[in-house]
Amino acid sequence: MLITISRVIKESSLSNILMTIMLLVLKLAELISYPLLFIALIFYPENRILFAAFLALYLVLPKINSSADNLLLALGNDNRMEKIKQSFSRCVNIDFEFFESEKGQEIFSKAVATTNSSKSAFSLLYQKLIKQISAVLYIIISLFFVFSTQNRALTLSYAVFLFLVILVFFSFEMARGKKKSMFKKEENSLMRNIRYLEKISRIRESAEVLDYYSAEEYIKDKFSEQEFSYDEKQKKYMADTRILVLSEYIISFLLCIFALLSDAPAANAVMLFSLLYQGIKTAEIFASSTSEVAVISRQIDDYYAFIDWGCDKKKDNLDQKLKSISFENVSFSYESAKDKKVLKNISLEISADEKIGIVGLNGAGKTTLIKLLIGLYDAKEGSVSINGRTVSGIANVFDCFSCIFQDDTVLPMSVRENILFGRKMDEKKYNAVIEKSGLDKILEKKKVSDTVEIPSFYVKNGTDFSLGEIQHLYLARALYKDAPFFIMDEPTAALDPVEEAKLFSSFNSLLEDKGGIFITHRCSSLKGFKRILVIADGEIVEDGSYDELIKKGGYYAGLLSEQAALFSR
């Protein structure tokens, strides 16, 4: 816990730390003001100025501290916003495999919960920490004051009482904290489901499907089911909490009565009462804040578990030019189905300027092979390397590849920005890419410039591209990146046959002297390739040129014949 809190403080600004210390002094002064008022009244009855000063402190400090609490919350929210920025940066750079795993999703959900509102862990940390420290300081100061009276019975009574009250409150708060942790764990799972349902019911892409299947009532029922489950768990947690709070107050009240029935002199009894009364409040503050700080600390640990994920992996840049790619006895299975191998004992050598076609049925393992190559997944068995270096140890591995994925992304911005993706504008190179990709003809046909924003649903005065047209934008983006090796993963799925034929025939000219991999499930698309890899059930079953594979009359020839027969019907 201390390590976690010290890390948060270390990452905080100096002004925030100094402000927190000042507010701590104010909070401590508020706790002390009540017993000081009684002490001034009992031991200095003739000193009205002293009494007036303590009375003013007693009346004014709570209001000042109420404003201070708001300031603490503001400081916490400033800190929270910085953590959101940090987590966003981590989202962009964290391993893709992390987000696809159940464990990764759980860690990410917990991390989001620490920053998702003004009542989350980072927002409340300063507030709770100040309460905890000020309570400890008050207890120390009050014990020292009682001890200074040199009344051994009074000192012992107060110390024992304070210890018992703290013990009672602390025991109850720990029990409540444990219940809260269990509730939070269940809440995270439920809220993840609820957020997903909200997302599905609101995004444009799913609207037509939901409408077509008249799924409105079904979504409502699923949402209500999740919400009811959440409400039931929350009610049970709140009922348990109320029982705990009521019990701790009853026990502390009995302890207070017991302490006041002691044989102390009248003046000491009044002073003892003021110290005991404030002691109960302070013990409650200490116990509750300690419990809350412990919970907050665990939640912040969840945040840092996400931030630190994979940071212990040592990676260095690949400085030399890409020369070769190799797979050595690579087998792979996903976390969700460890007993099922998607790839089995793959061994493969690819030169930097080689242009390869990969073909196989859906689910054969083609895309998984590519994800291992570009470092989205780590090979658990065997190794994937570039220039003899393991891909998982290369920090700039993405710089080696220009990719078009099956499920590429359009951001709500201009066509030009979607191509550049933050890269520096090179007018000559950009114009060449627009022409090569065929995007210039699409813009001309639509009578818009590359500054038009897409898609129209998210931006004002925007336009929309069809699935086929958007593939040309993806191609332009990959070409502008200008990496030494191209990968096109099923880029023709949304293209019509004529456009598909044009893209395949221009593949060699598009890449010029660069190497590349073209993935498809259509055998006829690879007719012009000098090397074709055929993948079936996670294994490379054939490797050769188009003519060699046809002459062999094996899996590829059979698949080509089967697909041709389907199209000829």
Side-chain angles (χ1 to χ4, degrees):
M1 185 171 79
L2 290 175
I3 295 172
T4 302
I5 292 170
S6 63
R7 180 173 178 178
V8 176
I9 293 172
K10 187 178 179 181
E11 293 176 358
S12 300
S13 65
L14 180 61
S15 59
N16 277 10
I17 294 171
L18 292 174
M19 183 67 70
T20 304
I21 293 171
M22 184 186 78
L23 296 174
L24 172 62
V25 173
L26 282 173
K27 182 63 70 176
L28 179 60
E30 180 189 353
L31 292 175
I32 295 173
S33 64
Y34 180 77
L36 283 179
L37 181 62
F38 272 84
I39 289 166
L41 181 64
I42 296 166
F43 294 100
Y44 305 98
E46 297 177 357
N47 194 332
R48 295 184 178 182
I49 295 174
L50 183 65
F51 177 74
F54 286 153
L55 179 61
L57 282 175
Y58 175 71
L59 295 174
V60 172
L61 279 173
K63 296 189 180 297
I64 294 175
N65 275 304
S66 178
S67 300
D69 280 341
N70 292 330
L71 184 55
L72 279 172
L73 195 58
L75 289 176
N77 278 324
D78 285 345
N79 192 33
R80 178 172 68 91
M81 295 309 296
E82 288 301 317
K83 298 306 176 188
I84 289 174
K85 291 177 187 176
Q86 188 180 7
S87 64
F88 175 77
S89 176
R90 194 72 188 100
C91 280
V92 174
N93 294 294
I94 204 164
D95 293 342
F96 177 75
E97 187 176 0
F98 170 87
F99 277 116
E100 284 217 328
S101 68
E102 185 178 344
K103 182 180 179 181
Q105 282 294 319
E106 183 182 353
I107 291 171
F108 178 66
S109 293
K110 288 180 178 179
V112 168
T114 63
T115 58
N116 65 354
S117 76
S118 58
K119 292 184 179 179
S120 55
F122 279 107
S123 296
L124 297 177
L125 178 63
Y126 288 119
Q127 199 178 56
K128 302 303 179 184
L129 204 56
I130 279 184
K131 286 185 177 181
Q132 183 189 34
I133 295 171
S134 62
V136 171
L137 291 174
Y138 172 82
I139 290 168
I140 293 170
I141 291 169
S142 65
L143 283 169
F144 179 78
F145 179 79
V146 174
F147 180 77
S148 68
T149 63
Q150 296 183 347
N151 186 324
R152 190 172 296 178
L154 181 65
T155 303
L156 185 61
S157 298
Y158 181 70
V160 170
F161 168 77
L162 208 56
F163 172 77
L164 289 173
V165 169
I166 290 172
L167 185 64
V168 169
F169 277 124
F170 202 76
S171 298
F172 278 108
E173 288 298 332
M174 288 297 107
R176 185 163 56 166
K178 189 176 180 180
K179 286 183 178 292
K180 186 175 183 178
S181 295
M182 291 172 63
F183 171 70
K184 277 290 180 184
K185 188 175 181 180
E186 294 175 334
E187 181 187 39
N188 284 335
S189 177
L190 283 167
M191 290 307 295
R192 188 163 66 243
N193 294 341
I194 289 171
R195 281 194 297 269
Y196 181 71
L197 284 170
E198 285 180 327
K199 177 184 174 182
I200 289 299
S201 61
R202 290 176 181 176
I203 61 174
R204 179 195 185 191
E205 289 75 8
S206 63
E208 59 184 285
V209 177
L210 295 177
D211 189 38
Y212 174 76
Y213 283 101
S214 302
E216 179 186 355
E217 292 303 319
Y218 176 74
I219 293 292
K220 280 183 179 179
D221 289 343
K222 294 297 288 183
F223 187 86
S224 298
E225 180 185 318
Q226 298 288 338
E227 197 172 38
F228 176 77
S229 180
Y230 172 74
D231 287 342
E232 286 299 302
K233 285 179 170 57
Q234 189 177 44
K235 285 176 184 176
K236 186 177 183 304
Y237 165 68
M238 293 305 294
D240 290 344
T241 299
R242 282 192 290 269
I243 292 169
L244 287 172
V245 171
L246 182 61
S247 301
E248 63 183 319
Y249 274 105
I250 291 171
I251 292 172
S252 60
F253 175 75
L254 293 173
L255 284 170
C256 188
I257 295 296
F258 173 77
L260 289 175
L261 292 175
S262 62
D263 296 330
N268 285 346
V270 174
M271 184 181 71
L272 180 62
F273 172 78
S274 67
L275 290 169
L276 288 176
Y277 177 78
Q278 192 67 353
I280 290 174
K281 288 175 64 178
T282 306
E284 182 195 3
I285 291 170
F286 171 72
S288 62
S289 59
T290 300
S291 174
E292 287 166 342
V293 167
V295 171
I296 286 170
S297 178
R298 287 195 294 271
Q299 290 171 350
I300 291 174
D301 281 337
D302 292 334
Y303 172 85
Y304 284 123
F306 170 66
I307 294 297
D308 296 337
W309 185 271
C311 290
D312 56 337
K313 295 179 182 178
K314 187 178 179 181
K315 294 186 178 185
D316 299 307
N317 283 341
L318 182 72
D319 297 323
Q320 59 188 149
K321 185 179 178 181
L322 190 148
K323 298 175 182 176
S324 64
I325 295 166
S326 67
F327 286 74
E328 294 182 16
N329 302 316
V330 174
S331 295
F332 183 82
S333 55
Y334 290 97
E335 286 291 324
S336 57
K338 291 183 178 180
D339 57 334
K340 182 183 178 182
K341 289 190 176 181
V342 182
L343 294 176
K344 306 166 188 174
N345 200 35
I346 299 289
S347 290
L348 176 65
E349 294 289 334
I350 303 171
S351 60
D353 59 351
E354 198 170 7
K355 297 170 181 64
I356 296 176
I358 298 180
V359 68
L361 298 176
N362 291 333
K366 306 184 297 296
T367 298
T368 302
L369 185 78
I370 296 306
K371 287 179 177 178
L372 285 166
L373 170 58
I374 65 176
L376 291 179
Y377 294 125
D378 285 341
K380 304 298 189 297
E381 297 179 44
S383 66
V384 183
S385 57
I386 297 173
N387 295 358
R389 284 186 55 190
T390 305
V391 167
S392 60
I394 301 174
N396 62 337
V397 65
F398 292 152
D399 293 342
C400 299
F401 304 102
S402 284
C403 300
I404 302 177
F405 299 107
Q406 289 181 25
D407 49 356
D408 223 317
T409 301
V410 172
L411 297 182
M413 54 180 66
S414 71
V415 171
R416 178 180 294 185
E417 288 172 307
N418 265 288
I419 294 170
L420 297 178
F421 247 45
R423 290 179 173 81
K424 188 178 178 181
M425 178 63 165
D426 181 329
E427 199 76 36
K428 184 179 178 181
K429 177 182 173 182
Y430 178 80
N431 290 333
V433 159
I434 290 288
E435 187 178 344
K436 268 188 175 183
S437 65
L439 193 60
D440 58 337
K441 293 182 176 62
I442 293 172
L443 294 173
E444 185 180 339
K445 179 183 175 183
K446 287 182 172 291
K447 298 180 180 179
V448 294
S449 71
D450 63 347
T451 58
V452 69
E453 295 190 322
I454 52 175
S456 63
F457 183 78
Y458 296 102
V459 291
K460 190 177 181 181
N461 300 323
T463 191
D464 291 307
F465 280 30
S466 69
L467 290 174
E469 289 170 337
I470 212 73
Q471 293 294 329
H472 291 272
L473 184 144
Y474 296 152
L475 178 58
R477 181 190 292 169
L479 288 169
Y480 192 83
K481 185 181 179 184
D482 199 25
F485 201 86
F486 276 70
I487 295 172
M488 299 186 182
D489 187 3
E490 301 274 15
T492 62
L495 297 179
D496 60 58
V498 176
E499 287 294 319
E500 179 188 31
K502 286 181 181 177
L503 181 58
F504 275 106
S505 63
S506 64
F507 186 64
N508 287 329
S509 61
L510 281 173
L511 270 59
E512 298 175 344
D513 59 342
K514 301 176 188 295
I517 292 174
F518 203 114
I519 297 175
T520 183
H521 62 274
R522 299 170 185 168
C523 294
S524 59
S525 301
L526 302 178
K527 193 170 183 179
F529 281 75
K530 294 180 180 178
R531 186 181 182 190
I532 299 170
L533 300 176
V534 185
I535 297 181
D537 195 25
E539 298 180 273
I540 297 176
V541 294
E542 291 180 338
D543 182 352
S545 68
Y546 177 81
D547 292 335
E548 288 171 344
L549 294 179
I550 293 298
K551 187 177 180 180
K552 183 179 179 182
Y555 185 89
Y556 179 80
L559 193 59
L560 177 63
S561 176
E562 187 179 328
Q563 290 178 352
L566 288 172
F567 280 107
S568 64
R569 289 176 184 175

